[in-house]
Amino acid sequence: MIDPLMTATRLASAGLEAQSLRMRVVSENLANVQSTGDVPGADPYSRKTVTFKAELDRAVGAASVKVRDIDIDKTPFRVEYDPSNPAADQNGNVKLPNVNALIEMADMREANRSYEANLQVIKQARAMVASVIDLLRT
C-alpha cells in the first residue's frame, strides 16, 4: 500500500529540486546580464532556460516533475554602440547578453513561490504524521 503522506512528501521533494535548479539558472542569468565577449566582436553570455517534464514516479504511482533540459535562449543579442568597450567590434558596436533583468526577476519570484509551496507541503505532511503518532500514543 502506498502511503499518501509519503507520496506527497516525495512529489514535493521533486518540486523543490526542480525549482532549486531553476533559481540557480536564473541567478546565473542575472549575474551575467552585462557580460560581454572576451575579444572584440565575440558573442557574449547567452541566457539559459530550464524546461520541465512530467515523469511517472513508479515508487509512488504518481506523476512527478523532472528537469528535461537546460537550453540556451536563441533570441538575438542586444547591440549597443560603445567604441570604448574592449569587446567592441571595428564599428564600435558591443554585443550584450540576451538577458532581460525584469523577466529574470519575475522568473525568480515564480520559482521562489513554487519552492515555498512545495516546502509547505512537506511541512504539512510532517505535521500530519506527528499528529498521527501522538494519537497512537494515547
Side-chain angles (χ1 to χ4, degrees):
M1 182 172 144
I2 297 173
D3 178 20
L5 294 176
M6 180 60 92
T7 300
T9 302
R10 190 169 177 137
L11 296 177
S13 295
L16 284 174
E17 187 176 327
Q19 295 303 332
S20 177
L21 177 68
R22 182 177 173 199
M23 285 190 281
R24 184 187 63 77
V25 169
V26 169
S27 296
E28 184 178 328
N29 288 342
L30 283 169
N32 288 294
V33 75
Q34 292 294 326
S35 298
T36 59
D38 294 336
V39 295
D43 285 345
Y45 173 83
S46 293
R47 177 178 184 257
K48 294 180 182 176
T49 59
V50 178
T51 53
F52 300 114
K53 66 179 176 177
E55 188 174 278
L56 180 66
D57 186 340
R58 296 187 192 283
V60 295
S64 181
V65 65
K66 298 285 181 198
V67 173
R68 176 185 297 159
D69 203 7
I70 298 176
D71 281 329
I72 302 297
D73 190 350
K74 304 290 189 228
T75 58
F77 298 118
R78 294 178 295 137
V79 178
E80 288 184 5
Y81 180 74
D82 184 6
S84 64
N85 191 310
D89 63 11
Q90 65 274 13
N91 298 325
N93 294 320
V94 179
K95 290 182 186 176
L96 296 171
N98 54 354
V99 177
N100 183 332
L102 187 62
I103 291 172
E104 297 302 320
M105 290 303 295
D107 205 20
M108 178 67 85
R109 175 175 249 163
E110 182 182 332
N112 187 39
R113 287 186 176 167
S114 296
Y115 187 92
E116 288 175 356
N118 284 302
L119 194 57
Q120 277 303 115
V121 169
I122 293 172
K123 286 180 181 179
Q124 290 296 322
R126 288 179 63 189
M128 292 172 79
V129 168
S131 295
V132 169
I133 291 171
D134 287 344
L135 286 173
L136 292 174
R137 286 186 188 157
T138 58

